[in-house]
């Protein structure tokens, strides 16, 4: 079940220099999906049975884990991940952990959805990683407490069976369960440390909540919008443009390399469902000398629909949030932003409401997935 069978087992001891020089990874196609456990979406590690050496919250930190070979604390080596103490057996005659002994952490997904793959990253855990891991998922409405999640009435579905993993490696697991999940239980057998957890999948919003909102951002990641493709991902992912909140720094947006031809860059999106768009925002926050010069926005209805321009090519200002009210609502299932000639934007917002057809399809899918 690991991404590469050779991952299983110890990594080499750290020998100095670049700590990622011998890091083991592989191409994991499911990583093109958004991380449903992203802290920026509201993901959290709500509980763990043990975090003696390193805090559970580190699991969901953005960016790769860091390693400082000289950093020690009162409890030992300080690691950028979640690390538990060494398990021991019952007595001197049985000093080894029992077969079922394991540590666990409960993770609340920031955006509930269908999980397409999970990465259990053991970066820098070379001899202190778990022997095996397993992952279970549950769908629990509301905001359950850790005690409620651990109750007997919660049904947990195995997403990753108990599987050996490797140290200092990106252990990837494709998931084929077609169900909407809100929480995960990550188990490490019998103990050890995990640097990062990534849960890639498709956001499946609650149609009841969107119906109550009425008008909302129909392309926002948290509402079920997603990036389908983009012309250039040189500096940063296009999905940043539909993340929650405003950009906080330059790399929290989408920026392309400098063009030396007569073309332009673009991003194509799929909306939460068929929607009626009434207004939009294009934000260039923190993009000052490298913001897009101009931008246009188009929509189409259905995969085979024709693109219709709803915002003609318009001059953009650096580090500015631009707002546009459409002269009449535009109906569509997809959107596209074109920037000229290159540069970047930090956020795109498309404000509107679902059509009757869009709401009906979203509700049907939510029900099919057990939501």
């Amino acid at each position: 079940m690991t991404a590469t069978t050779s991952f299983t087992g110890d990594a080499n001891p750290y020998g100095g220099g670049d700590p990622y020089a011998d890091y083991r990874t592989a191409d994991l196609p499911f990583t093109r999906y958004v991380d449903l456990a992203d802290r920026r979406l509201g993901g959290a590690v709500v509980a763990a049975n043990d975090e003696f050496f390193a805090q559970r919250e580190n699991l969901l930190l953005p960016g790769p884990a860091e390693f400082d070979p000289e950093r020690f604390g009162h409890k030992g080596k300080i690691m950028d991940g979640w690390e538990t103490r060494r398990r021991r057996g019952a007595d001197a005659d049985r000093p080894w952990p029992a077969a079922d002994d394991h540590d666990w952490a409960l993770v609340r997904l920031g955006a509930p959805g269908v999980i397409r793959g999970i990465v259990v990253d053991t970066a820098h855990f070379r001899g202190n990683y778990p022997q095996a891991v397993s992952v279970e998922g549950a769908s629990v409405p509301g905001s359950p407490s850790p005690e409620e999640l651990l109750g007997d009435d919660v049904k947990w579905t195995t997403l990753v069976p108990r599987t050996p993993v490797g140290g200092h490696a990106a252990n990837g697991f494709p998931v084929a369960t077609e169900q909407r999940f809100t929480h995960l239980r990550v188990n490490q057998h019998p103990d050890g440390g995990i640097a990062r957890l990534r849960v890639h999948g498709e956001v499946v919003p609650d149609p009841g909540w969107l119906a109550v909102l009425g008008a909302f951002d129909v392309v926002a990641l948290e509402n079920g919008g997603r990036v389908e493709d983009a012309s250039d991902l040189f500096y940063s992912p296009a999905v940043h443009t539909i993340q929650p909140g405003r950009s906080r720094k330059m790399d929290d947006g989408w920026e392309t390399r400098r063009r030396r031809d007569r073309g332009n860059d673009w991003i194509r999106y799929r909306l939460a469902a068929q929607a009626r768009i009434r207004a939009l925002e294009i934000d260039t926050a923190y993009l000052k000398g490298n913001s897009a010069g101009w931008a246009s926005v188009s929509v189409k209805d259905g995969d085979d629909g024709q693109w219709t321009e709803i915002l003609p090519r318009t001059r953009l200002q650096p580090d500015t949030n631009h707002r546009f009210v459409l002269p009449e609502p535009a109906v569509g299932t997809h959107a596209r932003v074109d920037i000229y000639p290159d540069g970047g934007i930090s956020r795109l917002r498309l404000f509107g409401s679902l059509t009757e057809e869009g709401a009906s399809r979203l509700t049907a899918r939510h029900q099919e997935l057990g939501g």
Side-chain angles (χ1 to χ4, degrees):
M1 286 289 292
T2 51
T4 304
T5 55
S6 60
F7 286 7
T8 304
D10 290 345
N12 294 323
Y14 176 62
D18 179 6
Y20 274 103
D22 59 343
Y23 176 67
R24 295 175 288 179
T25 188
D27 180 33
L28 302 170
F30 59 74
T31 57
R32 67 184 178 88
Y33 293 100
V34 67
D35 181 7
L36 301 177
D38 194 322
R39 282 288 299 167
R40 290 167 293 188
L41 289 174
V45 186
V46 298
N49 72 307
D50 187 301
E51 47 187 328
F52 186 86
F53 285 114
Q55 295 174 325
R56 64 182 192 263
E57 288 88 355
N58 291 335
L59 281 174
L60 303 186
L61 290 177
E66 299 179 355
F67 180 71
D68 182 352
E70 304 298 326
R71 192 178 182 203
F72 288 83
H74 295 293
K75 294 182 179 180
K77 182 73 185 73
I78 296 176
M79 297 294 291
D80 185 7
W82 168 50
E83 185 180 6
T84 65
R85 72 194 78 198
R86 300 187 188 218
R87 281 184 171 269
R88 298 295 187 234
D91 52 45
D93 292 330
R94 294 169 294 173
W96 307 280
D100 293 333
D101 283 352
H102 66 278
D103 293 317
W104 53 264
L106 296 176
V107 176
R108 181 188 68 231
L109 299 181
V114 178
I115 299 169
R116 300 303 182 192
I118 296 172
V119 178
V120 178
D121 190 345
T122 57
H124 317 304
F125 289 93
R126 296 169 179 267
N128 51 347
Y129 60 94
Q131 182 184 38
V133 300
S134 61
V135 183
E136 302 159 279
S139 182
V140 185
S143 304
S145 67
E147 293 75 20
E148 290 170 322
L149 290 171
L150 295 171
D152 294 336
D153 57 336
V154 174
K155 178 186 176 182
W156 291 94
T157 301
T158 298
L159 304 179
V160 178
R162 182 169 176 170
T163 308
V165 293
H168 196 46
N171 300 277
F173 304 91
V175 175
T177 305
E178 202 70 16
Q179 185 178 334
R180 180 181 185 266
F181 293 102
T182 62
H183 294 79
L184 297 185
R185 183 162 60 189
V186 181
N187 307 303
Q188 48 179 342
H189 309 265
D191 54 36
I194 299 170
R196 295 288 189 269
L197 177 75
R198 303 297 186 231
V199 185
H200 297 280
E202 300 176 50
V203 177
V204 179
D206 179 353
W209 175 252
L210 297 183
V212 169
L213 292 179
F216 58 93
D217 182 0
V218 298
V219 77
L221 189 59
E222 59 193 313
N223 294 331
R226 67 179 187 265
V227 170
E228 288 194 328
D229 200 4
S231 61
D232 188 294
L233 303 173
F234 189 83
Y235 285 114
S236 47
V239 72
H240 283 179
T241 60
I242 53 175
Q243 290 275 12
R246 295 199 70 196
S247 175
R248 298 181 180 180
K249 51 195 175 87
M250 191 177 74
D251 66 350
D252 188 19
W254 173 60
E255 181 188 357
T256 72
R257 74 191 82 194
R258 300 189 187 209
R259 276 190 171 268
R260 303 306 186 197
D261 58 19
R262 309 296 287 183
N264 73 283
D265 290 313
W266 51 267
I267 306 174
R268 187 177 73 243
Y269 307 88
R270 179 179 287 273
L271 308 183
Q274 187 189 65
R276 188 171 287 104
I277 302 167
R278 297 180 176 86
L280 61 92
E281 291 183 358
I282 301 176
D283 196 353
T284 59
Y286 292 98
L287 294 162
K288 298 182 179 180
N290 48 0
S291 66
W294 292 262
S296 64
V297 177
S298 303
V299 301
K300 70 173 182 176
D301 191 22
D303 292 331
D304 299 325
Q306 298 296 314
W307 289 105
T308 301
E309 192 173 69
I310 61 172
L311 178 72
R313 193 179 304 187
T314 302
R315 188 76 168 93
L316 300 182
Q317 299 300 322
D319 197 26
T320 301
N321 191 24
H322 309 77
R323 291 179 170 174
F324 307 94
V325 176
L326 301 184
E328 59 183 33
V331 174
T333 57
H334 296 70
R336 172 177 166 136
V337 60
D338 286 85
I339 63 171
Y340 302 87
D342 56 23
I345 61 173
S346 61
R347 296 290 189 270
L348 174 71
R349 305 298 188 205
L350 302 177
F351 297 105
S353 56
L354 298 184
T355 63
E356 184 175 343
E357 177 184 340
S360 176
R361 291 190 176 187
L362 193 64
T363 299
R365 183 163 188 254
H366 189 263
Q367 292 172 345
E368 289 171 3
L369 297 171

